[in-house]
Amino acid sequence: MVDFDALISKLSALGFNNVPVEHAAVENVEQWKEALGNVSNGLPNNYVLTKTLIYKPKQAKSEPFAPVVVVAKDDTLFNSKALGTTLKFKDMRFASEDVLKDTFQTVKGSVSPFVLGNVSSETIGNVRVVIDKALVNENNIAFHPLDSLRTVFISGPTLLAYISSIEGLEHVTELDLASLAGAAPAPVAGSAVKVPKKPAATVVKTEESTGSSKLGIEASKEKEFSKWYQQVVVRSDMLDYYDVSGCYILRPTAYFVWQQIQEFFDAGIRALGVRNCYFPMFVSQRALEQEKDHIEGFAPEVAWVTRAGTTDLAVPLAIRPTSETVMYPYFAKWIRSHRDLPLKLNQWCSVVRWEFKNPQPFLRTREFLWQEGHCAYMTKDEAYSEVLDILTLYRRIYEELLAVPVIEGVKSEKEKFAGGVATTTVEGFIPTTGRGIQGGTSHYLGQNFSKMFDVVVEDPEGTSTERPKIHVHQTSWGLSTRTIGVMVMVHGDDKGLILPPRVAETQIIIIPCGLTYKLTDEDRRRVTDACLAVEARLKKVGIRADTDLRDNYTPGFKYSHWEVRGVPLRLEIGPKDLEKQSVLSVRRDNFVKTPIALDKLETTLEILLHTIQDDMLIRARKTLNERVKMVHKWDDFVPTLNSKCLTMIPWCEREECEEQIKARSTRDAINDEAEDEKEPSMGAKSLCLPHQQPQDPPIILGQTKCVQCGHDAKRYALFGRSY
C-alpha cells in the first residue's frame, strides 16, 4: 500500500510543488467544499473540485475482474449506461465497499486517482481509467491524497504523468464526459490518452525553480538554506514568531533542549564550586557607562526604559545587554578580604540586544536566554585555569549533548571581548553555507574590571604594618540558546529536524501499523495495548517514549509528522510484528530499519540510542575535518572560502593584517559571489587561534611567513566567513 509521504514524494518528482492542505474529514463533495472554505492558508485562488468514481461492470464469470475508475470534474454530469456502451461494458454498477477495500485499499469519501497505486500487480492490468477531458488543461485540480483529511492541488499534466507512471496500467482513456449526459449515444471510440512518460519540460522547469517539495518542508537545505532553516524551526514546533520583531517563542521541544544544557552545565559548574544567583535586569545609566571601553561595543544594542505608565522616568534605565557593570559594584562590596576569594557566581537569565537588521531564530535575536558566569580570584593562574575549565564544559555541551564538533581556541586581539585580556572560544561550522559560528566564549578579564570597580583585597603576604591593596583577577563566560540553532543547522535535512537522542524530549515514538479494515476490534486493541506496553517498559528504564494513537491519521502521515520534528527513533508495531514477537525500528538520522525482538527491547534500544548519538557526532566531525583546509598561499585563500570551507593559515597575529584579510577577501569574493545582506560579512575574519595547533608542517618561528602579508607567522589561525 502506498503511504502518504511516498505519494507526495512521487508527485513532487512529477511537478507538484505545493503543501497539502489539512482540514476536517469529509464524506462527499458538499462537505469538501465546506471544509476547504474553512481553511485560511494554502489554498490557490482558483481550483477545481473532482469526483473519482469506481464501477464494477457486469462481466461473465470467466472474465477477469475489470473495474473502471472515472476521474471527472465534480459538476460534470454523464450517463453511466452511455459510458458503459463506450467502454463496451453492458452494465456499469458502482463498486461495493468491499471492492474499495479489497482492491483499492480505500474507503468511501477518500477515493482519488492515487488509489490506483494500491492495486495489486495481478489486477492493475485489467483496470480501466477514464479521464474527463475537462480536467486536462486545468492548473489546480483538487484530490484527496489517500484520505479525506487532506487535499492536494495538482495540474492536468501532473495528473496524466502520475497515471502514466503506474506500472502495469494499460487502459487509459480520455473522454468528453459531458457529451454523455443525455441518453446513451451510439458507441464512440474514446481517444486513448498518450501520456508522456516524463513530465513536460515546463513542469520540470517549475520544479527546479521552486525546489523539490517535501511534506512539511518545501525548501531545500542546499538550495534555499535560509528559507529551509526558518521552515524547520517553525514546523518542527521548536519556536513560533512573536509580534515583536526579533523576539521568538520557545516551544517545549526547544526549551527541553535548553533544559538539558542547563542540567549538564549546572552540574559541571557546581563541581567547580560555582553558585547560582540572580541580579535585576535593569541597569542605571551611571552603572552602564562606568566601564566605557567595555560598554562601547554594546552601546548601539542597548534598549532603554524611559517611561512608567504615562510618566517619564527621571533617569532612563537600560535593560541588561550583559551583566559586568551590574554585578561588579557588588563584588567590591562583598569582597573585603582574600578570605572572601574565590567568589564564583553564575546566573541563568535573558538579555536584550536590540540593534540589528536581520534577526534569525536562535542565532541573532533581540532577547535570548543564556547563562553568564562571573568569578573573582586572587591570582591570574587560578582565574585562567577556570577559563579553560569552562571552555571544556562548553565543548562537551556541543559534542556530548548536541553531537556538534567544535574547535577550541583563543580569539585574536581584534575579536576578543571588549574590556577583557583574553577570550577563549569554541567555534562551530555550518557545512551547508561554509560559515563558522561562535558557539560560546570564556573570558579572562585580568584586573581591568576590578580596577574600574575597585574590587580589591589586602595582600595576604604583606607584613602586619604594610598590606598593599591587590586588585582581584576576574573571569566571565556565557553560553546562549544560539546552541540550539547551531544544532538544527548542522543536523537537519530536507525532511526537517534531526535531534540527538540526549536532548530529544521524545527519544522514541511508537506508531501502531497494519490496522486494516479486516482486523477485528479485538485485534486492533491487541496492537494498541502492545504499543502502550512497550511505551511503559521504555519509560521504566528512563527512555523518553510516546505512542501516537491518533485514529484520524494514517501511519504514513504520522511518520512524516514525527520526522519533521526530529524524533531520533520510530518503532512500528503491527499484527505481523506481534506474531513475530518483535518491533520494527526506524532511525531518523539515516532511516535504517531494524527488527528488534521484544524480549531484548530495552537493552537493544538503549544501545541503539547511544549509537545514533555517536554516529551523528562522527558524521559531523568527519565533515568538519574535511572542510578545514590548510592554505599556504594567498591565491588559494578566497577559492577555499568559495568552496564552502574554513582556512587554517600561518598568521602574524597583527590587527592590521586581519583588517587587510577581511578587505581583500571581501573584494575578491564579490567578483564571484553577491553579498548576502542576511548573512553577515562576505569577507573572512579570524575565528580563533586553535589550542591544538597543526604540526604538518609546524610553524617555525622566524621562517614561516604569514599568508597575507609576509611577516613572520606566530601561530596557525582559523579564518572563515561567519555568522
Side-chain angles (χ1 to χ4, degrees):
M1 180 177 176
V2 177
D3 61 24
F4 177 74
D5 50 347
L7 171 64
I8 296 301
S9 178
K10 185 172 185 178
L11 289 176
S12 298
L14 299 175
F16 171 72
N17 52 29
N18 297 313
V19 181
V21 173
E22 296 186 13
H23 50 70
V26 299
E27 294 184 0
N28 53 51
V29 173
E30 290 305 316
Q31 291 180 6
W32 195 8
K33 288 180 182 177
E34 182 179 352
L36 290 177
N38 293 326
V39 174
S40 57
N41 295 310
L43 293 179
N45 293 330
N46 297 294
Y47 55 88
V48 175
L49 294 181
T50 59
K51 55 188 175 186
T52 302
L53 308 174
I54 299 181
Y55 293 89
K56 180 183 180 183
K58 186 176 181 180
Q59 296 174 269
K61 291 183 179 180
S62 59
E63 293 179 350
F65 173 46
V68 176
V69 178
V70 178
V71 184
K73 291 180 68 174
D74 76 298
D75 58 359
T76 297
L77 302 177
F78 61 92
N79 186 293
S80 297
K81 186 174 182 180
L83 176 61
T85 301
T86 301
L87 299 177
K88 300 181 181 179
F89 286 118
K90 291 183 179 180
D91 191 4
M92 296 276 284
R93 303 173 182 175
F94 285 114
S96 66
E97 291 187 5
D98 286 343
V99 171
L100 297 183
K101 293 177 180 178
D102 294 342
T103 303
F104 296 92
Q105 300 182 44
T106 189
V107 295
K108 185 179 179 182
S110 297
V111 182
S112 73
F114 308 129
V115 300
L116 291 166
N118 294 333
V119 180
S120 67
S121 57
E122 294 81 9
T123 303
I124 192 66
N126 300 320
V127 175
R128 269 67 171 170
V129 176
V130 177
I131 302 172
D132 188 353
K133 277 188 175 181
L135 291 175
V136 173
N137 295 317
E138 292 288 348
N139 289 323
N140 295 303
I141 309 171
F143 292 109
H144 292 310
L146 303 179
D147 64 58
S148 65
L149 292 162
R150 289 167 290 203
T151 297
V152 295
F153 299 92
I154 66 175
S155 66
T158 301
L159 170 64
L160 298 180
Y162 174 81
I163 291 174
S164 176
S165 72
I166 304 288
E167 187 174 352
L169 181 62
E170 300 176 0
H171 307 285
V172 182
T173 303
E174 184 180 308
L175 287 177
D176 180 6
L177 290 175
S179 68
L180 304 179
V188 177
S191 57
V193 180
K194 296 181 180 179
V195 183
K197 292 297 181 181
K198 295 182 180 179
T202 55
V203 175
V204 174
K205 182 177 179 181
T206 300
E207 181 186 0
E208 290 176 350
S209 66
T210 59
S212 61
S213 176
K214 302 288 185 181
L215 177 64
I217 308 299
E218 298 92 46
S220 164
K221 184 178 183 181
E222 291 295 327
K223 297 178 182 178
E224 303 171 284
F225 182 74
S226 180
K227 184 177 180 181
W228 168 87
Y229 176 71
Q230 291 175 9
Q231 288 183 359
V232 168
V233 295
V234 172
R235 299 184 186 185
S236 65
D237 291 341
M238 295 202 83
L239 61 71
D240 207 344
Y241 287 85
Y242 193 55
D243 62 358
V244 177
S245 176
C247 298
Y248 304 91
I249 301 165
L250 293 192
R251 300 185 67 179
T253 299
Y255 200 79
F256 184 87
V257 177
W258 183 238
Q259 285 181 308
Q260 297 303 108
I261 292 171
Q262 283 182 304
E263 290 177 11
F264 178 91
F265 187 72
D266 215 49
I269 60 175
R270 282 179 176 276
L272 296 174
V274 179
R275 302 165 68 192
N276 284 313
C277 64
Y278 185 81
F279 279 73
M281 66 186 299
F282 298 114
V283 190
S284 69
Q285 188 171 1
R286 178 188 56 79
L288 192 67
E289 294 177 349
Q290 191 165 347
E291 215 298 291
K292 293 183 179 179
D293 289 340
H294 164 66
I295 203 60
E296 184 178 353
F298 292 108
E301 303 174 351
V302 176
W304 293 91
V305 178
T306 60
R307 178 178 295 181
T310 59
T311 304
D312 290 338
L313 297 182
V315 179
L317 295 176
I319 301 176
R320 63 171 166 237
T322 183
S323 295
E324 281 79 3
T325 58
V326 179
M327 300 173 75
Y328 295 165
Y330 295 89
F331 276 41
K333 178 180 180 181
W334 298 337
I335 298 172
R336 297 292 188 180
S337 160
H338 69 275
R339 298 178 184 86
D340 297 322
L341 296 175
L343 177 61
K344 305 180 183 182
L345 298 179
N346 175 70
Q347 70 171 344
W348 297 92
C349 61
S350 69
V351 294
V352 174
R353 297 180 183 176
W354 202 262
E355 180 63 31
F356 51 82
K357 295 180 180 179
N358 298 296
Q360 292 267 23
F362 295 119
L363 304 185
R364 298 163 63 230
T365 63
R366 286 179 173 164
E367 181 191 18
F368 56 87
L369 300 178
W370 78 341
Q371 60 71 214
E372 53 177 325
H374 298 271
C375 302
Y377 291 89
M378 190 70 196
T379 67
K380 174 183 177 180
D381 288 347
E382 290 178 292
Y384 206 83
S385 176
E386 181 217 71
V387 166
L388 298 181
D389 287 340
I390 296 298
L391 195 70
T392 297
L393 287 176
Y394 287 164
R395 175 185 59 77
R396 292 182 61 196
I397 285 170
Y398 275 100
E399 296 185 350
E400 296 178 23
L401 270 64
L402 306 179
V404 172
V406 291
I407 296 173
E408 292 180 271
V410 62
K411 289 286 189 180
S412 68
E413 285 297 304
K414 181 177 183 296
E415 293 294 328
K416 74 180 182 181
F417 182 64
V421 174
T423 292
T424 64
T425 180
V426 288
E427 297 289 322
F429 174 64
I430 311 303
T432 311
T433 60
R435 294 175 184 265
I437 187 164
Q438 181 176 289
T441 50
S442 181
H443 314 288
Y444 170 59
L445 304 179
Q447 296 172 310
N448 292 347
F449 284 87
S450 63
K451 289 177 180 178
M452 178 62 62
F453 291 93
D454 199 28
V455 186
V456 296
V457 297
E458 291 183 345
D459 185 352
E461 296 181 0
T463 65
S464 58
T465 58
E466 187 175 342
R467 290 184 179 272
K469 299 288 187 181
I470 297 176
H471 289 93
V472 302
H473 294 261
Q474 291 180 260
T475 66
S476 69
W477 23 273
L479 186 82
S480 77
T481 41
R482 166 178 278 214
T483 51
I484 303 173
V486 175
M487 176 196 70
V488 172
M489 292 193 293
V490 169
H491 296 307
D493 63 14
D494 282 354
K495 287 184 177 290
L497 185 65
I498 300 178
L499 287 171
R502 285 196 67 177
V503 295
E505 185 176 28
T506 301
Q507 295 173 310
I508 296 178
I509 187 66
I510 304 163
I511 298 178
C513 304
L515 303 181
T516 67
Y517 72 96
K518 294 181 179 180
L519 293 184
T520 65
D521 289 344
E522 181 60 32
D523 290 335
R524 290 172 179 270
R525 276 195 297 272
R526 271 201 332 121
V527 173
T528 300
D529 290 347
C531 291
L532 294 173
V534 166
E535 178 188 336
R537 287 173 59 182
L538 297 182
K539 286 181 174 178
K540 193 173 182 179
V541 296
I543 294 175
R544 298 185 290 274
D546 198 4
T547 304
D548 190 340
L549 295 179
R550 294 176 294 174
D551 58 6
N552 58 334
Y553 292 111
T554 63
F557 178 89
K558 295 177 184 179
Y559 299 163
S560 298
H561 175 91
W562 295 109
E563 285 167 3
V564 169
R565 287 154 182 78
V567 173
L569 197 60
R570 180 173 81 233
L571 295 185
E572 301 173 12
I573 302 178
K576 292 183 179 179
D577 298 299
L578 296 183
E579 290 175 7
K580 299 174 185 177
Q581 286 294 293
S582 67
V583 301
L584 182 67
S585 69
V586 184
R587 290 173 56 163
R588 173 64 182 90
D589 64 317
N590 60 14
F591 295 102
V592 169
K593 298 182 178 182
T594 307
I596 299 174
L598 282 172
D599 60 355
K600 299 179 180 178
L601 192 65
E602 292 89 342
T603 302
T604 304
L605 289 177
E606 285 177 329
I607 293 172
L608 185 52
L609 289 172
H610 283 296
T611 300
I612 293 171
Q613 182 84 27
D614 293 344
D615 287 353
M616 290 177 69
L617 177 60
I618 289 169
R619 281 195 300 270
R621 192 187 301 281
K622 180 175 183 292
T623 300
L624 173 62
N625 291 341
E626 291 171 349
R627 302 277 281 277
V628 175
K629 303 290 188 180
M630 297 285 289
V631 172
H632 293 281
K633 58 181 181 178
W634 180 259
D635 288 347
D636 296 333
F637 186 83
V638 173
T640 301
L641 297 178
N642 291 343
S643 64
K644 296 184 178 180
C645 293
L646 303 179
T647 64
M648 190 76 74
I649 64 170
W651 188 42
C652 62
E653 300 184 28
R654 296 183 307 119
E655 190 168 333
E656 178 186 3
C657 180
E658 184 167 2
E659 293 284 3
Q660 291 170 350
I661 289 174
K662 181 176 181 179
R664 289 183 68 185
S665 60
T666 300
R667 184 175 64 250
D668 293 349
I670 289 175
N671 292 333
D672 301 317
E673 186 178 354
E675 180 91 33
D676 183 351
E677 291 183 357
K678 293 186 178 180
E679 294 181 338
S681 181
M682 187 64 72
K685 71 175 186 178
S686 68
L687 303 178
C688 73
L689 299 153
H691 286 162
Q692 188 173 347
Q693 287 281 300
Q695 296 300 317
D696 186 19
I699 296 288
I700 301 176
L701 297 179
Q703 296 184 25
T704 306
K705 302 300 180 182
C706 173
V707 162
Q708 194 278 142
C709 66
H711 283 69
D712 288 347
K714 296 180 179 179
R715 283 179 286 185
Y716 279 104
L718 185 70
F719 273 78
R721 296 175 181 141
S722 71
Y723 287 92

